[in-house]
Amino acid sequence: MQKFKLNGRIWIEGEERFMGIGRMELLEHIQRTGSISQAAKAMQMSYKRAWELVSSMNTQASKPLVITQTGGEKGGGAIVSEEGEKYLAFYKELHKRFTEFMCIESEHIPF
């Protein structure tokens, strides 16, 4: 007999999508690599798409979530700002609670 479970995603939205699991992962990769380009590669995403997501989050937030530095002797880079770390921590906890909710509710599926 098939055992069903609930599945879903949770987004924080304003006039457009602001934060979801993919953007959370992108921010985590930027934290680890110090680079939007390297974060995009790690996610098998184009640099253009990663930049669009970062730009969208930065535009919607009251303060930038990602701060970039252009070229120079050591090349460019990116860091997740203190504000970005706050949003990231909040979304991680929200996603954890959402996942727990989905597991609990899955136990009540009557078929």
Side-chain angles (χ1 to χ4, degrees):
M1 187 163 106
Q2 179 75 32
K3 172 88 170 132
F4 292 102
K5 68 176 185 170
L6 294 175
N7 192 5
R9 290 187 176 220
I10 188 165
W11 286 91
I12 299 172
E13 296 182 339
E15 289 187 25
E16 60 184 74
R17 286 185 174 173
F18 173 69
M19 181 72 68
I21 190 80
R23 293 174 195 223
M24 178 190 79
E25 289 174 2
L26 179 61
L27 291 175
E28 290 175 328
H29 283 293
I30 292 170
Q31 277 182 321
R32 280 194 293 275
T33 65
S35 164
I36 295 172
S37 176
Q38 291 301 312
K41 284 180 187 174
M43 295 182 71
Q44 299 178 344
M45 174 188 298
S46 73
Y47 173 78
K48 181 179 186 288
R49 180 67 180 142
W51 178 251
E52 288 170 351
L53 295 174
V54 167
S55 179
S56 173
M57 288 185 286
N58 279 351
T59 299
Q60 292 182 75
S62 57
K63 296 178 184 173
L65 305 189
V66 175
I67 299 169
T68 59
Q69 180 179 334
T70 56
E73 194 173 298
K74 296 181 181 177
I79 61 164
V80 175
S81 68
E82 188 175 314
E83 189 77 0
E85 289 178 5
K86 289 177 190 175
Y87 279 87
L88 190 53
F90 174 81
Y91 185 82
K92 281 180 177 180
E93 180 58 32
L94 176 66
H95 188 265
K96 179 180 169 219
R97 291 192 319 267
F98 177 72
T99 301
E100 289 168 356
F101 166 80
M102 297 296 269
C103 287
I104 291 166
E105 290 302 311
S106 289
E107 296 300 316
H108 301 290
I109 296 175
F111 39 84

